């Protein structure tokens, strides 16, 4: 009992000199840990009379609770003190941006293609699509063969390819390569998009670049129809342009889809009446798409008897140009800060 009586006072004295969380934890275990005086008392309690056992037991319990309470309170105090201390020493200087700009440097921002890409990814994620990535350096299989473009196929000439010296590797000419790995790595039903850079060995002009951006999309399941394709494309375009858009499908040829289409939207500038943007036809060609060719499903390890799907390849640079009224694609890669800094999002 004597031990218990002096225990609390000693604890309080020691507690007053503690300034660190680690020391506090040590003190706690010194007093109420397994090797501490309280544990000792409890070990020796067997020699006491039943009466003594009761008073000793409840006193010890009470002490343990008091010490735990005091430790808890001190802990909060120490943590608050630590936070205050770190606020003092790790000050964030919010005036930094201004002073950097004063020195003529530019604050960072996102490239307009990145802005559109992230926006479209979000739209597809909200419709249950995954977002996949794929390598820029590809082999013939992923860029051509698996997509139903055999070596002798004239469609290989449709896309001027940057080949590596080994004649086996190339810079991907389209994001359709992402379809192949995407199919192999999952079981139907699935839906995903795959955005990224693509490369073509082409002469550049106001509407052609050697490096540009696409966003591939694919949905595979049982009974996927052209109706599904139109629904998803209309929803996408309404979200991008923030209004209802009218679309039409024209036949289009791509070896990896059958039937293949060109999806046009009614010109948003003249509302279909005809203007310079739509070259006076009232419609703007926006998005090639179609139902996935059975050969492509097969090369992705999918049974074309049981499943089918749609695919599309959205050109991102074109969208950026339409949204921001940019008349030359070459601005996008110019690296000119006067151009880039117009699209800051933060
Ligand atoms: N890969 C084609 C290109 O770059 C675009 C494309 C057309 C993608 C039709 C598709 C599609 O998924 O179904 O020219």
């Amino acid at each position: 009992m004597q031990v218990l009586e002096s225990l609390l006072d000693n604890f309080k004295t020691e507690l007053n000199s503690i300034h660190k969380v680690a020391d506090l934890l040590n003190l706690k275990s010194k007093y109420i840990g397994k090797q501490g005086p309280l544990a000792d008392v409890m070990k020796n309690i067997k020699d006491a009379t039943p009466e003594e056992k009761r008073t000793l037991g409840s006193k010890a319990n009470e002490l343990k609770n008091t010490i735990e309470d005091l430790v808890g309170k001190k802990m909060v105090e120490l943590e608050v003190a630590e936070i205050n201390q770190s606020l003092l020493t790790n000050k964030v200087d919010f005036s930094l941006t201004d002073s950097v700009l004063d020195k003529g440097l530019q604050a960072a921002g996102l490239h307009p293609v990145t802005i559109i890409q992230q926006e479209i990814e979000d739209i597809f994620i909200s419709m249950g699509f995954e977002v996949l990535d794929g390598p820029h350096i590809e082999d013939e299989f992923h860029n051509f063969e698996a997509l139903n473009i055999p070596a002798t196929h004239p469609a290989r000439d449709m896309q001027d390819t940057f080949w590596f010296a080994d004649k086996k590797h190339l810079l991907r000419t389209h994001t359709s390569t992402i379809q192949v790995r995407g199919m192999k790595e999952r079981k139907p039903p699935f839906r995903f998009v795959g955005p990224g850079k693509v490369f073509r060995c082409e002469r550049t002009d106001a509407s052609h670049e050697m490096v540009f951006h696409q966003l591939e999309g694919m949905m595979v399941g049982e009974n996927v129809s052209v109706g599904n394709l139109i629904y998803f494309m209309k929803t996408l375009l309404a979200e991008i342009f923030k209004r209802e858009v009218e679309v039409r499908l024209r036949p289009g040829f791509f070896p990896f889809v059958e039937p293949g289409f060109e999806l046009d939207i009614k010109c948003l500038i003249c509302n279909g009446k005809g203007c310079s943007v739509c070259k006076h036809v009232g419609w703007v060609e926006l998005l090639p798409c179609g139902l996935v060719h059975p050969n492509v499903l097969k090369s992705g390890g999918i049974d074309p008897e049981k499943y089918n799907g749609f695919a599309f390849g959205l050109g991102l640079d074109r969208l950026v140009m339409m949204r921001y009224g940019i008349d030359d694609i070459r601005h996008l890669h110019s690296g000119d800060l006067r151009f880039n800094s117009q699209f800051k999002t933060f």
Side-chain angles (χ1 to χ4, degrees), residues 207-236:
S207 50
H208 294 89
E209 254 290 17
M210 284 190 251
V211 183
F212 52 101
H213 303 81
Q214 292 184 333
L215 182 129
E216 195 75 14
M218 185 175 220
M219 172 169 169
V220 172
E222 287 178 58
N223 305 316
V224 175
S225 67
V226 175
N228 296 129
L229 171 64
I230 293 176
Y231 166 78
F232 280 106
M233 296 306 101
K234 275 191 89 157
T235 312
L236 166 73

Side-chain angles (χ1 to χ4, degrees), residues 32-312:
I32 58 177
K34 285 206 181 76
Q35 318 289 337
L38 258 187
D40 271 350
V41 171
M42 297 313 283
K43 260 180 239 150
N44 297 328
I45 209 168
K46 59 183 185 312
D47 305 326
T49 67
E51 180 76 5
E52 282 171 336
K53 267 188 197 158
R54 217 173 308 127
T55 39
L56 271 176
S58 77
K59 179 79 183 165
N61 238 345
E62 195 187 302
L63 256 176
K64 184 165 177 260
N65 290 339
T66 314
I67 288 179
E68 268 172 357
D69 268 3
L70 290 171
V71 168
K73 280 191 193 125
K74 183 84 177 184
M75 183 67 90
V76 174
E77 254 174 55
L78 291 181
E79 279 170 357
V80 170
E82 261 171 34
I83 290 172
N84 286 338
Q85 183 60 32
S86 91
L87 282 175
L88 280 179
T89 48
N90 304 327
K91 260 195 188 157
V92 179
D93 182 359
F94 289 108
S95 65
L96 189 62
T97 333
D98 272 351
S99 57
V100 166
L101 290 180
D102 285 346
K103 290 190 189 109
L105 298 172
Q106 297 273 349
L110 295 178
H111 191 277
V113 172
T114 310
I115 295 173
I116 287 240
Q117 182 183 318
Q118 290 182 349
E119 222 176 281
I120 296 177
E121 284 177 12
D122 284 345
I123 296 169
F124 276 106
I125 289 170
S126 77
M127 298 194 290
F129 283 69
E130 290 174 79
V131 179
L132 306 187
D133 204 1
H136 292 165
I137 299 177
E138 273 291 7
D139 50 30
E140 271 186 276
F141 175 75
H142 287 90
N143 200 82
F144 294 122
E145 252 147 71
L147 292 164
N148 198 32
I149 318 177
T152 53
H153 201 290
R156 285 216 184 178
D157 301 332
M158 277 164 49
Q159 303 182 348
D160 296 301
T161 310
F162 282 114
W163 289 94
F164 281 77
D166 67 3
K167 302 246 174 6
K168 292 198 170 73
H169 291 87
L170 50 92
L171 290 177
R172 71 174 176 205
T173 59
H174 51 185
T175 46
S176 303
T177 52
I178 297 175
Q179 289 187 21
V180 184
R181 287 199 187 79
M183 282 186 289
K184 283 214 164 129
E185 286 160 6
R186 32 190 68 63
K187 296 237 166 315
F190 56 75
R191 42 182 104 162
F192 58 75
V193 290
K197 287 192 195 309
V198 298
F199 310 82
R200 304 241 178 121
C201 185
E202 280 180 2
R203 200 179 280 272
T204 61
D205 61 31
S207 50
H208 294 89
E209 254 290 17
M210 284 190 251
V211 183
F212 52 101
H213 303 81
Q214 292 184 333
L215 182 129
E216 195 75 14
M218 185 175 220
M219 172 169 169
V220 172
E222 287 178 58
N223 305 316
V224 175
S225 67
V226 175
N228 296 129
L229 171 64
I230 293 176
Y231 166 78
F232 280 106
M233 296 306 101
K234 275 191 89 157
T235 312
L236 166 73
L237 297 170
E239 289 277 337
I240 295 178
F241 294 111
K242 309 278 181 263
R243 61 185 127 147
E244 197 61 32
V245 288
E246 238 179 276
V247 303
R248 72 172 187 192
L249 291 183
R250 283 178 295 116
F253 172 73
F254 305 94
F256 26 92
V257 279
E258 179 56 41
F261 306 107
E262 290 284 0
L263 187 145
D264 300 339
I265 58 170
K266 189 172 259 185
C267 181
L268 295 170
I269 310 293
C270 64
N271 206 17
K273 290 191 191 71
C275 67
S276 62
V277 171
C278 59
K279 302 194 185 94
H280 304 283
V281 268
W283 295 86
V284 179
E285 184 180 314
L286 199 67
L287 194 143
C289 53
L291 293 186
V292 183
H293 195 288
N295 287 350
V296 175
L297 289 171
K298 270 190 227 156
S299 46
I302 291 166
D303 180 1
E305 300 287 325
K306 194 155 173 228
Y307 298 105
N308 59 351
F310 68 69
F312 60 90

